[in-house]
Amino acid sequence: MQPTMSSLSNRDFKNNPFLPPGEYCTCHIGISESDERMAAIIVNKQYYSFFKSVKDREKALSVVNKLQEKGNDALIVKNPKGYSIWVLEPTAYLRRSKQ
C-alpha cells in the first residue's frame, strides 16, 4: 500500500504526531553508525525507526514530547495493542530483506 504523500507534505507532526493508517509504509532500514537492520516506517520520503510501544495514548504523547524536547522528531501509530512510537532517522537508508 502506498501512502498518500501529498496529504502528508503539509502536515505539522509536532502539533499532531498521530499518523493515520494508510499514510505510511513499513520497511527495514540501516544507519551508518550500525550494521543492524531496523524496523521502520517511511513517511513523506523520510525513514522513522521503531522506538517503543506503549499501551496508553497519554503515555505515547508524553514519550514523544520528551523526544521532541531533546530535538528528535517522532510519530505515533495506533496498533492493536496500543501505540508505537517511531523516531526520525535522517541518515537512514533502505535495507533489503535478509537473503
Side-chain angles (χ1 to χ4, degrees), residues 24-54:
Y24 62 91
C25 291
T26 59
C27 60
H28 285 89
I29 59 170
I31 55 173
S32 58
E33 300 87 35
S34 171
D35 214 17
E36 185 180 348
R37 187 171 166 262
M38 302 163 44
I41 58 174
I42 183 169
V43 178
N44 202 22
K45 299 180 183 177
Q46 294 184 306
Y47 296 110
Y48 291 76
S49 65
F50 175 74
F51 181 70
K52 75 185 305 185
S53 286
V54 296

Side-chain angles (χ1 to χ4, degrees), residues 70-83:
K70 294 180 180 180
N72 296 298
D73 289 336
L75 299 174
I76 302 169
V77 173
K78 184 159 178 31
N79 63 53
K81 294 184 178 183
Y83 299 87

